[in-house]
Amino acid sequence: MDQPRKPLIANRCRLRRREFLCGVGASFALLAQPSRVIAKDGASAAQNEFRVVTARTGYASLLGASGPPTDIWGYDGTCPGPLLKVRRGEEMKVRLVNALPEPTTIHWHGLRLRNAMDGAPNLTQLPVPPGSSFDYRFTARDSGTFWYHSHENSSEQLARGLYGLLIVEEPHDVGVDRDIALVVDDWRLSPDGSIDTAFRSMRDASREGKIGDHFTANGSPLFDIPVATNERLRLRLVNAANARIMALRVDRHEPTVMALDGQPAEPFVAREARVALGPGNRADLFIDARLAPGSTSEILLDTGMREVAIARLVYAHARARAAPLGDMRPLPANPLPERMDFAGALKLDVALDGGMMGMMGPRGLAGGNQTGQTSKSGPGTAPSRQGYSGAAIWSLARRASDGHSARPLFSVKRGRTVVLAFANRTAFPHAMHIHGHHFRLLDRLDDGWKPFWLDTVVVPAGQTWRIAFVADNPGKWMLHCHMLEHQETGMATWFEVG
Ligand code: C2O
Ligand code: CU
């Protein structure tokens, strides 16, 4: 069932070849190669089963129907891209066609999939050059709310709109009347409505990252959700922003958190009807619609200065039933590890350093850039970029890297428990994300853990937070800050599960 993987052509990935020749080859894995786009009439029946997703230019009404349209980059030219849906246990088959002027990949954020399909450029695959395609094919092990996004030149490609929602459906009905997603983003727009193209700003990168001030939910400045009194609504929230931590509140309702980062949690009522999501985080809420027919209630984003409505619950229908439904049953569990062996765990301190008020000095990134061998050489060469390209502003475990350096942060035998202590010694929060695994957030005072799983956790400035996971997914996995300007200026690395 695996797609054929061709051997590497040496000059297309000299870094890999160098690793091989240097004898790091024990863990050497062939990087999956993009292929040239096949003419339509040449496609076989089997190939037609792939859902084709084209990364291309398009436009979106980010300022509303009456405002000027904004030119974007989007999957199938839309933002968010097409909703991708698969049932748990089924195979997902997506053919990415790159119609952009530069290389790209798709990363399936939060999915515990096989490594070759993870979309990490120069780590699990070569970036897909313009005019080429790449077939992603994997089984969805976990049901829940996930998203997909570019992982190449991410700070620019995501800011231009290259992301979408991926829903893996539960094996059975979960007892809601409506299932609505809000993919929330903040944009930095010029007065004419176009995307501000000052990407890779040193100023942004050395502070909290690129923060926008135009908010959208599902690409719209105010997204209306029609509801009926006494309905139960499932609301899937996704923070797709480059760097903003989003504090969201549902006015006059009492949401129950059912899942975080795609994984079912022990349900709990959100305090003050608020949830805070770092970049990349998701939350699944169940909300009983208890207002009277004709009411409207806002979903608000707290900017720190004011609350901005990004969506509304509009009671547009007649009463659905006489009273709200009863208890909320937890979502069906996914096959996550039931226990962790802390005695035999690999324990690692991961210091987070750098940034404004903690600058590291002008150094280059370790990895591809340092060796002078990057994806920027050879076919699919990216146009030269303005801004911080290659600069080291942040570090992770005392190394500034772009996430595909020759050496992993650690290597671990499959099945071992890993405990990482993120010590944030910077003046800014960081959204620490690992690929291919979900982790537990450990309590700070005792040895317990929080009653949920995450794939991304915001570590506040000045604090040390510990996470634990079972490294049970073989391959090379990225670990990075999901504030994309931080990721690109040093706060990225990878680990290997053998
Ligand atoms: Cu959502 Cu490595 O990223
Ligand atoms: Cu960061």
Side-chain angles (χ1 to χ4, degrees):
M1 292 297 280
D2 279 9
Q3 65 176 69
R5 281 186 278 174
K6 289 173 231 145
L8 277 181
I9 303 160
N11 66 5
R12 293 205 55 184
C13 187
R14 296 193 312 214
L15 176 64
R16 294 293 138 191
R17 182 159 173 270
R18 183 181 136 268
E19 272 188 29
F20 185 63
L21 296 176
C22 292
V24 192
S27 61
F28 180 79
L30 296 179
L31 290 187
Q33 288 258 33
S35 51
R36 298 305 297 182
V37 175
I38 309 153
K40 277 198 184 71
D41 54 10
S44 72
Q47 285 164 338
N48 286 338
E49 295 168 35
F50 279 84
R51 167 75 158 89
V52 175
V53 172
T54 305
R56 62 174 177 85
T57 56
Y59 66 89
S61 300
L62 304 179
L63 295 172
S66 55
T70 302
D71 289 317
I72 58 152
W73 290 358
Y75 295 112
D76 290 349
T78 64
C79 183
L83 165 62
L84 300 179
K85 253 191 190 183
V86 66
R87 197 166 280 279
R88 184 167 87 184
E90 281 179 1
E91 198 180 39
M92 180 92 193
K93 291 161 86 176
V94 171
R95 170 166 301 159
L96 165 67
V97 173
N98 185 6
L100 298 172
E102 61 177 47
T104 194
T105 66
I106 293 181
H107 168 59
W108 311 91
H109 182 121
L111 263 81
R112 301 188 297 145
L113 40 59
R114 60 195 178 90
N115 190 239
M117 299 290 106
D118 193 45
N122 303 304
L123 188 67
T124 65
Q125 72 167 91
L126 296 175
V128 184
S132 294
S133 73
F134 188 90
D135 289 347
Y136 292 97
R137 184 170 183 166
F138 52 86
T139 302
R141 293 168 65 184
D142 297 327
S143 44
T145 304
F146 301 94
W147 65 304
Y148 62 101
H149 62 76
S150 155
H151 217 296
E152 175 74 358
N153 187 19
S154 310
S155 67
E156 176 172 351
Q157 293 195 5
L158 272 84
R160 288 188 184 273
L162 281 167
Y163 56 76
L165 183 70
L166 169 59
I167 291 178
V168 183
E169 293 174 297
E170 283 81 13
H172 56 75
D173 189 85
V174 300
V176 296
D177 300 296
R178 256 171 230 278
D179 188 329
I180 304 280
L182 293 179
V183 183
V184 187
D185 199 356
D186 64 346
W187 303 78
R188 209 181 275 176
L189 302 176
S190 305
D192 65 356
S194 62
I195 292 171
D196 177 358
T197 54
F199 301 112
R200 292 170 295 279
S201 131
M202 281 297 245
R203 192 193 150 77
D204 289 340
S206 58
R207 293 173 171 79
E208 58 262 87
K210 183 172 186 159
I211 303 288
D213 52 5
H214 282 87
F215 303 102
T216 56
N218 304 336
S220 151
L222 188 62
F223 187 84
D224 279 347
I225 303 167
V227 292
T229 303
N230 295 332
E231 270 186 345
R232 180 163 290 172
L233 169 71
R234 177 183 193 162
L235 193 59
R236 305 172 190 257
L237 302 174
V238 183
N239 181 351
N242 277 33
R244 180 187 288 273
I245 298 167
M246 291 185 177
L248 299 167
R249 181 171 75 83
V250 186
D251 192 31
R252 287 185 290 156
H253 289 79
E254 199 176 79
T256 301
V257 178
M258 302 300 290
L260 289 171
D261 285 355
Q263 299 293 1
E266 287 171 30
F268 61 95
V269 175
R271 190 146 48 100
E272 296 173 341
R274 282 174 206 279
V275 287
L277 301 178
N281 280 141
R282 288 88 64 215
D284 285 57
L285 309 178
F286 278 12
I287 298 171
D288 281 334
R290 291 167 185 271
L291 300 186
S295 317
T296 302
S297 147
E298 290 177 329
I299 298 173
L300 301 142
L301 188 153
D302 188 348
T303 67
M305 269 139 33
R306 65 201 169 101
E307 282 194 311
V308 183
I310 54 160
R312 296 187 301 188
L313 300 178
V314 181
Y315 285 70
H317 304 287
R319 213 169 276 276
R321 54 181 70 83
L325 295 170
D327 284 351
M328 292 176 184
R329 292 220 315 277
L331 293 170
N334 286 321
L336 285 155
E338 267 152 35
R339 48 180 301 280
M340 295 189 198
D341 171 18
F342 285 97
L346 171 70
K347 294 183 177 146
L348 218 68
D349 290 324
V350 181
L352 312 178
D353 288 298
M356 201 57 199
M357 295 168 275
M359 275 296 205
M360 305 195 329
R363 283 193 282 156
L365 290 182
N369 290 334
Q370 199 179 54
T371 59
Q373 295 163 332
T374 72
S375 58
K376 291 178 190 100
S377 58
T381 296
S384 72
R385 291 171 187 157
Q386 301 296 309
Y388 57 58
S389 292
I393 298 174
W394 306 90
S395 72
L396 223 158
R398 296 185 178 76
R399 273 206 285 165
S401 151
D402 50 14
H404 56 90
S405 51
R407 233 163 13 102
L409 177 65
F410 60 89
S411 293
V412 69
K413 225 174 121 250
R414 185 177 181 180
R416 190 155 176 212
T417 298
V418 177
V419 177
L420 301 179
F422 292 116
N424 184 351
R425 309 192 296 191
T426 79
F428 299 92
H430 298 286
M432 302 314 299
H433 171 51
I434 62 173
H435 284 206
H437 299 78
H438 277 75
F439 55 79
R440 292 286 199 175
L441 182 58
L442 301 184
D443 288 333
R444 268 171 291 170
L445 298 177
D446 53 48
D447 278 339
W449 58 40
K450 305 283 181 228
F452 48 75
W453 296 84
L454 298 172
D455 59 48
T456 305
V457 66
V458 176
V459 182
Q463 299 204 10
T464 298
W465 283 22
R466 288 177 304 143
I467 66 161
F469 65 100
V470 178
D472 56 3
N473 200 354
K476 297 178 172 185
W477 302 104
M478 285 189 79
L479 182 174
H480 62 85
C481 178
H482 217 287
M483 284 134 177
L484 304 173
E485 292 75 20
H486 296 176
Q487 176 194 333
E488 289 177 347
T489 53
M491 216 174 243
T493 185
W494 60 283
F495 62 95
E496 181 155 45
V497 182

